[in-house]
Amino acid sequence: MRPTPGDPAPDATVFAAPREPVRLSRYFGERPVILLFFPLAYSSVCTRELCTVAEDYAAYEQEGATVLGISVDSPYVNRKFAEDCGAPFPILSDFNREATDAYGVRRELGGLEGVSERAAFVVDPAGIVRYAWVGEHPGVFPPLEEIREAARRAGAGGA
């Protein structure tokens, strides 16, 4: 079931690096967290999205937000993708689909089963989802300014 604003943020194990599992809840607690689920590294819209966030990262930091990219790609692919995008934030591997399923964003894409929807969730420091957006289809670019504003509000204690 997909969480909606006001729900506790689901926890899940993802991989920061090969053989380095990490719980999403590790990032909750001090700052708002933006979870950016995306279907596949190196696809056109995913590359544009993550590279845009990387280029504008100072604005996310100004809002006090922690940004986490999440895809079902392997930790090896995500590490290279983060490097190529110049991402100063983690791009985590949900290879086992634990986070994708916990956030209710699993989909089929061109015969590939089990990729993530393009989706964004903002979690406040108390671990409550304050914003949720899921694209109509994988080609829809996320409303990044709206997501940043939601992070700003979540950090200020607003809903």
Side-chain angles (χ1 to χ4, degrees):
M1 167 114 65
R2 188 174 296 155
T4 58
D7 292 342
D11 198 8
T13 298
V14 292
F15 291 84
R19 295 178 300 280
E20 189 185 323
V22 64
R23 302 287 297 171
L24 287 177
S25 59
R26 166 185 167 191
Y27 298 97
F28 302 161
E30 293 182 28
R31 305 167 58 160
V33 176
I34 299 171
L35 303 173
L36 296 175
F37 286 88
F38 61 97
L40 294 168
Y42 293 104
S43 61
S44 62
V45 179
C46 296
T47 299
R48 183 173 150 231
E49 174 186 356
L50 279 290
C51 289
T52 298
V53 173
E55 290 168 7
D56 295 340
Y57 191 67
Y60 293 87
E61 286 186 309
Q62 186 175 354
E63 301 301 349
T66 296
V67 176
L68 303 173
I70 302 173
S71 82
V72 301
D73 294 292
S74 80
Y76 302 99
V77 169
N78 283 342
R79 181 174 54 205
K80 179 69 172 145
F81 185 53
E83 180 182 305
D84 290 348
C85 285
F89 53 89
I91 297 182
L92 304 168
S93 172
D94 188 29
F95 194 80
N96 296 329
R97 280 71 172 169
E98 192 175 318
T100 297
D101 289 341
Y103 281 80
V105 293
R106 186 188 283 232
R107 70 165 294 127
E108 179 272 334
L109 178 63
L112 301 173
E113 296 183 19
V115 301
S116 299
E117 297 272 8
R118 186 169 321 284
F121 297 89
V122 174
V123 179
D124 73 12
I128 303 299
V129 174
R130 293 297 173 194
Y131 174 88
W133 174 87
V134 179
E136 300 169 19
H137 57 78
V140 174
F141 196 77
L144 296 177
E145 287 188 31
E146 184 177 296
I147 293 165
R148 254 195 344 259
E149 173 60 21
R152 186 194 63 71
R153 286 192 319 271

